[in-house]
Amino acid sequence: MREAVFDTVVVGGGAAGLAASKIIAERGYRVALVERENRLGGILNQCIHNGFGLHYFKEELTGPEYAQRFIETTAGTPNIEVFLETTVMDVKTSRADNNNSGKGSTNSPGTKEVFCYSSRYGVLKIITKTIVLAMGSRERNRGNIGIPGTRPAGIFTAGLAQRFVNIEGYSPGENVVIIGSGDIGLIMARRMTLIGARVLAVIEIQPYPSGLTRNIVQCLRDFDIPLHLSHIVSRIYGRDRVEAVDVTPVRNGKPEMEETFKIKCDTLLLSVGLVPENELSKKFGVKINPETGGAVVDAHMMTSVDGVFSCGNVLHIHDLVDYVSEESIAAASFACDYMEERGKWPAAEQFPTVASSNIKYVIPNSYDPEINNRFFFRPMIVKNNAKLCIRMENEDKEQKTLLEKRLLHVQPSEMVSVNIKSERIKEFLRDGEENRLVFSIQ
Amino acid sequence: MSSRSNKSLICISCPIGCHLTVEYDKDNLREENIKISGNKCSRGITYGREEVLAPKRTVTATVSIASEIQRRLPVKTTKHIDKVLIFELLDNLYSLKVKPPVNIGERLIENFKGTGVDVVATMKLDR
Ligand SMILES: Cc1cc2nc3c(=O)[nH]c(=O)nc-3n(C[C@H](O)[C@H](O)[C@H](O)COP(=O)(O)OP(=O)(O)OC[C@H]3O[C@@H](n4cnc5c(N)ncnc54)[C@H](O)[C@@H]3O)c2cc1C
Ligand code: SF4
């Protein structure tokens, strides 16, 4: 077995892993960037549409272009060694690092062993101080939504179809119905139209689209593709290949079966969401947040396992790659601080963040009053001119409003971020109390 | 009598997606007659005007490439192109056959039909 020693192992070479590696290497640490595929870039390689980079690079790029900007600066840095076609299989931490289980090995505190498998190197063991988890996400599939009917060929997840069309160069079918109005499905509705297929309908169970507004405009309205909100696909027909689907409206949570109509089609694309890819993290005891499917992280983006950080889609699903880069840069900087301040870490006491009315989750799960905190959260409602309210809550139930802000437009598909300065938080902090920071939208 | 019309659009020039109200005179379609509200920045005005006068889009697609890495090369137009020209542009793209190496920004179609719009590669493929 080959062995190597690095300061940090970054697992996954997508947008998150690339940004994290760059920052850590620039701070002078040696990074092993481990990627399962035969190239860097992750999901960006198949996202050939534009709309990436407006926040981060202040210009509009396609996915591969956005990736290339990072690949050039990252892969050229002497402190980074890239391991391609290499999969991280397991991690062994020391017992002292693993706060919530006895799973760690007898490694000395702070030392981790990362076990990889690759066709090039065989089994590889990397000994390291810190790990950045950046494994991205995978797609929900038919099993996750349970549609009755036959199991013919012609059913794909939208992301897989995207890979077929954009990388491998063949079309999954000619007459397409898309289930779910997630961004990948919307992007694929346009993509299939541009390669000459007919997209007959997009079916969404919710009363509002789950993808970004601009994708509804650019991908559906532009090509007059019907979007059926509050509808479900209630049946799939076809023995060898999909032949048709039944579509049924839903009112007050109940399918109105007598209003069912049939659409003839040969292909179904499922765009019913992404889930963070945390099989590896769970294996070595990283605590998972049921609301996000990603790790629970503290104010320094550190997971429940000491020295293990998480960022990008493996932490929570992002709709904008710009936020992935930004979050990963933050996580990487904290990983560096951690290595610099070993022994004194964590520097200050942290307090919990809480998602309240109309908010699904807040990342990170705690805040550090000594730093300027940046929070990401996902609304659960669609509303114009909504009011964001952040309060400090303590045992006596007395609540103090720390921040109130008008949000022009909120919807579940668009993550919101907000910064709160250290000084502002300290004004409200009370000694010996829980100091919960409660987020809500009205 | 002039007839004012209203149109609600969503600006797609950036991910914020401002909800715009565009007011214009159907019988007298001139740039200075188009009134736009709801935009957070000046690009919203440009977008709203264009949507009424001559809607344009950036087109992204793929063309055939004889590469060891992947079978399609992603490409994009360098500027927005008239919506009505999209399918004609695609026909042109689908007849191209590119050989590696190709770099980001390499021109594959120049000044499409005199529009001043080029088509460039968006991925670097060495082999
Ligand atoms: C189809 C689609 C369309 C999108 N469209 C837009 C858009 O228009 N605009 C925008 O701004 N954003 C968009 N996004 C969002 C944004 O692009 C993604 O959120 C971002 O690229 C995710 O980056 P990541 O690094 O977290 O994950 P990924 O890109 O998925 O990278 C994860 C990497 O980790 C590797 N990996 C996983 N497990 C292991 C392991 N055990 N060992 C080694 N390697 C491993 C994978 O191979 C992969 O390369 C889109 C996302 C998708 C999926
Ligand atoms: S008006 Fe400006 S801020 Fe609003 S969506 Fe358009 S470009 Fe973005």
Side-chain angles (χ1 to χ4, degrees):
Chain A
M1 182 166 53
R2 219 182 110 174
E3 269 192 36
V5 181
F6 285 89
D7 295 313
T8 304
V9 174
V10 176
V11 190
L18 282 166
S21 306
K22 176 174 179 256
I23 295 303
I24 298 172
E26 278 172 4
R27 294 262 300 256
Y29 294 100
R30 290 195 62 238
V31 179
L33 173 54
V34 184
E35 168 56 50
R36 186 169 59 189
E37 301 285 324
N38 63 1
R39 59 170 156 183
L40 297 170
I43 199 80
L44 288 170
N45 285 320
Q46 67 181 60
C47 299
I48 64 149
H49 56 283
N50 62 344
F52 299 81
L54 267 158
H55 293 261
Y56 193 82
F57 290 114
K58 307 279 177 257
E59 65 179 294
E60 194 166 19
L61 302 170
T62 63
E65 290 173 305
Y66 190 95
Q68 189 61 29
R69 299 247 170 137
F70 277 95
I71 292 170
E72 262 157 29
T73 49
T74 303
T77 309
N79 275 339
I80 302 179
E81 188 167 339
V82 180
F83 295 86
L84 292 177
E85 289 174 78
T86 307
T87 305
V88 175
M89 311 293 292
D90 206 357
V91 173
K92 286 214 161 53
T93 56
S94 72
R95 212 163 266 142
D97 293 342
N98 218 318
N99 301 322
N100 64 319
S101 76
K103 278 193 187 145
S105 75
T106 50
N107 288 344
S108 62
T111 305
K112 293 147 188 58
E113 296 171 339
V114 179
F115 293 89
C116 313
Y117 179 76
S118 102
S119 47
R120 289 192 201 174
Y121 313 101
V123 179
L124 168 69
K125 179 165 106 177
I126 307 175
I127 297 162
T128 188
K129 294 177 206 152
T130 51
I131 298 175
V132 177
L133 302 173
M135 289 92 75
S137 58
R138 65 187 140 83
E139 289 180 279
R140 288 213 173 87
N141 57 35
R142 187 176 172 188
N144 298 99
I145 52 171
I147 309 163
T150 50
R151 314 222 136 228
I155 307 177
F156 307 89
T157 58
L160 183 64
Q162 186 179 48
R163 191 188 164 95
F164 284 164
V165 174
N166 292 345
I167 293 189
E168 284 157 39
Y170 62 89
S171 170
E174 265 152 37
N175 295 294
V176 185
V177 168
I178 297 176
I179 302 180
S181 59
D183 285 313
I184 315 176
L186 300 177
I187 297 284
M188 280 313 287
R190 176 177 59 188
R191 192 74 194 106
M192 294 301 292
T193 308
L194 293 186
I195 63 167
R198 269 184 303 274
V199 180
L200 305 163
V202 176
I203 315 294
E204 170 60 58
I205 186 170
Q206 300 290 340
Y208 51 83
S210 70
L212 299 175
T213 326
R214 74 190 155 107
N215 287 336
I216 300 289
V217 177
Q218 283 178 306
C219 302
L220 301 187
R221 283 202 201 172
D222 265 9
F223 303 101
D224 298 317
I225 297 169
L227 169 62
H228 298 285
L229 296 172
S230 303
H231 280 67
I232 54 166
V233 167
S234 52
R235 184 164 198 91
I236 299 172
Y237 298 92
R239 261 193 46 210
D240 303 321
R241 175 89 195 186
V242 175
E243 284 164 9
V245 291
D246 274 346
V247 178
T248 306
V250 176
R251 236 166 269 128
N252 306 320
K254 278 214 307 277
E256 305 281 347
M257 293 315 287
E258 59 287 358
E259 290 173 47
T260 297
F261 56 95
K262 199 172 198 163
I263 303 179
K264 282 193 174 163
C265 58
D266 55 40
T267 305
L268 274 181
L269 300 189
L270 302 179
S271 177
V272 289
L274 302 168
V275 237
E277 177 66 275
N278 273 303
E279 293 317 307
L280 171 70
S281 329
K282 285 179 202 161
K283 264 195 202 170
F284 67 100
V286 172
K287 214 159 123 192
I288 301 295
N289 177 352
E291 285 301 337
T292 56
V296 173
V297 287
D298 71 5
H300 307 138
M301 311 298 281
M302 190 163 87
T303 68
S304 62
V305 180
D306 197 65
V308 177
F309 298 78
S310 177
C311 53
N313 274 0
V314 75
L315 179 59
H316 59 133
I317 299 301
H318 294 65
D319 29 70
L320 285 183
V321 70
D322 304 68
Y323 284 160
V324 171
S325 301
E326 195 193 301
E327 179 180 279
S328 308
I329 287 168
S333 313
F334 288 128
C336 295
D337 296 347
Y338 169 91
M339 287 188 276
E340 258 149 47
E341 296 167 24
R342 281 279 284 292
K344 302 186 277 175
W345 183 276
E349 193 184 355
Q350 296 189 16
F351 303 95
T353 60
V354 180
S356 179
S357 311
N358 299 321
I359 292 186
K360 192 165 157 60
Y361 64 78
V362 181
I363 297 272
N365 300 82
S366 55
Y367 66 94
D368 175 351
E370 296 299 325
I371 61 174
N372 297 329
N373 289 264
R374 182 157 174 82
F375 301 100
F376 290 102
F377 56 91
R378 201 165 277 284
M380 287 201 289
I381 48 165
V382 181
K383 196 171 177 184
N384 280 325
N385 204 17
K387 194 172 82 183
L388 165 69
C389 187
I390 304 177
R391 290 187 304 261
M392 185 75 87
E393 208 181 271
N394 272 316
E395 248 345 272
D396 52 15
K397 288 281 172 248
E398 192 195 348
Q399 294 193 357
K400 295 233 166 95
T401 303
L402 206 120
L403 184 141
E404 261 183 1
K405 195 177 167 185
R406 285 270 158 214
L407 301 173
L408 219 56
H409 181 79
V410 293
Q411 63 184 68
S413 56
E414 296 188 30
M415 202 161 66
V416 187
S417 71
V418 64
N419 295 313
I420 305 181
K421 285 218 157 62
S422 168
E423 302 89 73
R424 183 72 185 155
I425 290 177
K426 281 181 174 165
E427 276 177 47
F428 292 82
L429 216 56
R430 296 226 312 253
D431 259 3
E433 300 268 5
E434 227 190 331
N435 294 314
R436 285 192 304 264
L437 210 51
V438 182
F439 290 65
S440 64
I441 292 180
Q442 250 78 49
Chain B
M1 266 294 286
S2 69
S3 56
R4 299 296 288 177
S5 297
N6 257 313
K7 204 173 183 172
S8 51
L9 291 174
I10 303 166
C11 178
I12 55 172
S13 304
C14 93
I16 290 172
C18 292
H19 292 247
L20 310 179
T21 306
V22 187
E23 233 187 283
Y24 58 98
D25 190 342
K26 260 200 245 159
D27 306 323
N28 190 8
L29 256 183
R30 273 180 301 128
E31 208 175 280
E32 57 281 15
N33 272 342
I34 302 172
K35 257 186 66 188
I36 291 158
S37 51
N39 55 303
K40 270 197 186 171
C41 80
S42 63
R43 290 169 68 197
I45 296 185
T46 315
Y47 176 81
R49 278 182 182 157
E50 270 189 9
E51 276 306 282
V52 174
L53 294 171
K56 290 181 175 175
R57 296 290 179 268
T58 292
V59 177
T60 58
T62 63
V63 303
S64 174
I65 184 162
S67 160
E68 289 167 33
I69 302 160
Q70 60 181 52
R71 296 181 49 195
R72 307 293 297 183
L73 171 71
V75 302
K76 71 172 182 187
T77 55
T78 49
K79 287 187 220 139
H80 291 344
I81 182 165
D82 277 339
K83 246 168 105 175
V84 290
L85 290 176
I86 291 179
F87 283 91
E88 198 179 334
L89 174 73
L90 288 172
D91 281 341
N92 275 263
L93 288 174
Y94 294 155
S95 64
L96 290 180
K97 290 213 163 23
V98 180
K99 285 209 178 70
V102 54
N103 211 337
I104 286 183
E106 206 166 300
R107 264 176 187 56
L108 303 172
I109 291 182
E110 221 155 316
N111 192 11
F112 179 67
K113 292 193 81 183
T115 53
V117 177
D118 301 337
V119 175
V120 296
T122 55
M123 188 183 270
K124 181 177 170 183
L125 289 173
D126 292 333
R127 39 199 169 92

